[in-house]
Amino acid sequence: MINLFHRVKANRELEHLAERIASNFANNYKDAAQGYLRQYEDRFEELKSEGKLNQRQAEHYGALLWDFKGRMKEFTHKDQKPYWT
């Protein structure tokens, strides 16, 4: 059973960007994932500074940002092995 009382009200724009980042991670599209991460971070900071995110939303989306940034550190072209070696 889903606990609806602890669910964070979603911000559609940030959710859309997070989905794009996750999709590009899954498909190994490094440049696209990095671009969407920059958009996500900029928009998150903008919404937070304008007061359009409540505390729970800010914590939730901030944690997502932190997670994406951590995953992005290991997401570089130099780590990609050519299939022929």
Side-chain angles (χ1 to χ4, degrees):
M1 182 173 165
I2 298 173
N3 189 348
L4 298 177
F5 295 108
H6 293 6
R7 191 168 179 201
V8 175
K9 185 176 178 185
N11 178 291
R12 289 180 187 229
E13 187 175 5
L14 290 177
E15 287 293 324
H16 174 72
L17 288 170
E19 288 172 7
R20 300 296 299 200
I21 294 166
S23 174
N24 285 302
F25 270 134
N27 291 319
N28 206 26
Y29 298 146
K30 295 169 180 66
D31 295 333
Q34 291 169 349
Y36 281 115
L37 180 60
R38 281 190 296 276
Q39 288 178 18
Y40 180 91
E41 184 173 18
D42 291 344
R43 189 62 182 144
F44 171 71
E45 292 300 331
E46 186 177 311
L47 290 170
K48 194 169 129 181
S49 68
E50 292 174 356
K52 293 186 178 180
L53 297 176
N54 62 37
Q55 182 181 356
R56 289 186 65 173
Q57 287 174 320
E59 289 172 3
H60 173 74
Y61 292 116
L64 274 177
L65 177 61
W66 185 80
D67 181 51
F68 284 142
K69 282 185 166 187
R71 289 173 57 194
M72 191 66 72
K73 287 180 185 178
E74 299 156 6
F75 200 61
T76 62
H77 288 289
K78 68 179 175 127
D79 296 332
Q80 185 174 356
K81 304 291 183 215
Y83 64 89
W84 59 85
T85 59

